[in-house]
Amino acid sequence: MIDLKTRIVQIAGSTPNPDGVWMAQVARQLTDADDGFLRDHRVLFCDRDTKFAGPWKRTLEREGIEIVATPYRAPERLGGLPRSFGRQAA
């Protein structure tokens, strides 16, 4: 995740096989009242990967985070993010 205002990057977690339970736990950690990365945010932009649905989406919406999905087949909508990590935009 990247905070667009401050450009602070937060690694939310890593697993080779994210499932709904794991994604819900990540969402809970991101919205933790004490130190969650999203605690002062109201909008989160996500691509349309299916892992950003179900428990992930419900957990964030319950905490007042609005999920905005990027348009289909529109990688340019992610702005400079790929370049920020040293990769060429596809």
Side-chain angles (χ1 to χ4, degrees):
M1 313 209 114
I2 184 169
D3 183 318
L4 295 177
K5 183 176 179 182
T6 64
R7 301 290 190 213
I8 293 173
V9 175
Q10 170 73 38
I11 304 300
S14 178
T15 183
N17 300 305
D19 60 7
V21 174
W22 188 83
M23 292 300 292
Q25 179 61 36
V26 169
R28 285 190 296 275
Q29 291 170 333
L30 289 170
T31 57
D32 182 72
D34 294 325
D35 64 355
F37 186 73
L38 297 176
R39 70 182 178 277
D40 296 325
H41 295 80
R42 294 291 140 233
V43 178
L44 178 66
F45 293 91
C46 294
D47 65 22
R48 293 180 179 271
D49 192 307
T50 57
K51 70 179 160 272
F52 297 123
W56 162 267
K57 187 174 181 179
R58 285 190 300 274
T59 301
L60 291 173
E61 287 174 342
R62 186 172 49 245
E63 296 297 326
I65 306 290
E66 177 187 358
I67 306 296
V68 177
T70 57
Y72 289 103
R73 297 184 179 193
E76 70 277 0
R77 298 287 189 220
L78 296 176
L81 188 59
R83 290 183 300 280
S84 299
F85 290 96
R87 297 188 311 251
Q88 285 281 350

